Amino acid sequence: MRSILLLNAKGGCGKTTMATNIAAYYAMKGKNVVLADFDPQGSSMDWLDARPADRPPIRGLAAWQNAVRVPKNTEYLIMDSPAAVSGRPLANLVQRADSILIPILPSPIDIRAAEHFIGQLNALRRVLNTQVKLATVANRVRENTLAAGDLGDYLEEIKLPNGKKVPYLSLLRASQNYIRSAETGLSIFEFSPARTEYDRDSWKRIFHWLNSKRSLPNPQD
């Protein structure tokens, strides 16, 4: 089973948007997908409630309410984490994941918060002795702005304690397509290609990383 965690201690950074779109992408590929919502706000479950019955199925788990029991036939587990997670709840989430995607917004406050959080996450990985892989995504970005440039420069330079850079995968723009996605229970990959072409292209590097051995613990390549 492949497990992917959307994680950032800062609220409002777009974890649910990414989680739901990733879940739908793999469901469209014919995979058995479970979307586990650990956030008491339940936004991922609300998205699933709005999802049309004729679309590729995604099973939802309200993980903030009940013990997480993932069905044995699950091929992809997508986990939407809550804001301000720390301590044992954070450790429990990290231990469940193969790959962690960290969406970061283009503001000085969010960039500083991300820097502290990634440091905390690295320390936790050492304590847990886990090889979970991390990558960052610039999210809800207004293109060609100074803030977007500053965020991109910062994400390009984040390093792990061993000196290796944390992969910076892509920039996802602030697009009405994502608002429509949240409202309809669909992903941008289920809308007209002509309407979503630019946004779809922004995801290519994300899925290239997720589908590669580089995003898995103990890669062989």
Side-chain angles (χ1 to χ4, degrees), residues 63-75:
W64 78 91
Q65 288 182 329
N66 306 305
V68 178
R69 293 184 176 87
V70 181
K72 290 184 178 180
N73 66 342
T74 301
E75 294 175 276

Side-chain angles (χ1 to χ4, degrees), residues 80-123:
D80 185 6
S81 67
V85 63
S86 62
R88 175 46 56 185
L90 175 60
N92 290 340
L93 284 170
V94 170
Q95 286 181 309
R96 289 182 178 275
D98 298 323
S99 312
I100 296 176
L101 289 173
I102 306 171
I104 302 174
L105 301 185
S107 79
I109 292 175
D110 285 272
I111 290 173
R112 286 193 292 269
E115 186 172 9
H116 292 307
F117 181 64
I118 291 171
Q120 177 187 1
L121 201 53
N122 284 332

Side-chain angles (χ1 to χ4, degrees), residues 10-33:
K10 190 81 163 54
C13 62
K15 295 186 293 290
T16 297
T17 297
M18 291 192 65
T20 53
N21 276 275
I22 291 170
Y25 174 87
Y26 285 115
M28 292 172 65
K29 299 290 185 182
K31 304 299 183 181
N32 291 320
V33 178

